[in-house]
Amino acid sequence: MSYEDRDQYGMYVDNGHKGPGPELMGADTLIGDHVHNLKNEHLGEIKEIMLDMRTGKIAYAVMAYGGVLTIGEKLFAVPWEALTLDTVNKRFTLNLDKERIEAAPGFDKDDWPDMANQTWASQVHSYYGTGVDTRPGAR
């Protein structure tokens, strides 16, 4: 299901480029979007979008990979900067080989990491090749 399918208000209908999308998107329309890599391999699905309440910016997209009907699926905090919205295919792109996502630091739904912990954040950003600002309150 793509963000156009979840668009309750008609924000993303192409009316001669009127409306907010794709520069501004509603978070609830993005949850559920698929994530593919540059080889067109399916890497997962966006399950949640995490906001940094100190800065007002999006910190991570929580992506699920593997499992069947959420049983055995692994969750990943993917830095928002690592994702690109693919408006043609109505999904996200993550420049990462499938083997790298299988080996990525993840967690399960019952054991979420402390995403505000700077050591954890630095490790995640390093894995995905995105920068992180380690000053207190910054990302």
Side-chain angles (χ1 to χ4, degrees), residues 2 4 13 35 44 46 68 74 83 95 101 104 108 129-130 137:
S2 76
E4 283 185 333
V13 175
V35 179
I46 303 295
V68 177
K74 189 174 177 183
L83 295 164
N95 186 10
I101 201 65
D108 65 51
T130 56

Side-chain angles (χ1 to χ4, degrees), residues 34-100:
H34 287 229
V35 179
H36 286 71
N37 63 16
L38 298 176
K39 296 177 184 175
N40 201 30
E41 296 171 314
H42 184 258
L43 298 180
E45 181 179 310
I46 303 295
K47 294 293 186 176
E48 191 59 85
I49 295 174
M50 305 304 292
L51 303 175
D52 183 328
M53 299 308 292
R54 299 165 296 192
T55 65
K57 295 180 180 181
I58 299 173
Y60 303 98
V62 175
M63 184 181 82
Y65 172 78
V68 177
L69 300 173
T70 72
I71 297 171
E73 77 181 356
K74 189 174 177 183
L75 299 175
F76 304 91
V78 178
W80 191 250
E81 299 85 8
L83 295 164
T84 303
L85 183 63
D86 178 351
T87 58
V88 173
N89 295 302
K90 313 298 188 248
R91 63 187 185 197
F92 282 96
T93 300
L94 176 60
N95 186 10
L96 199 69
D97 287 336
K98 196 167 192 170
E99 295 77 27
R100 288 271 298 158

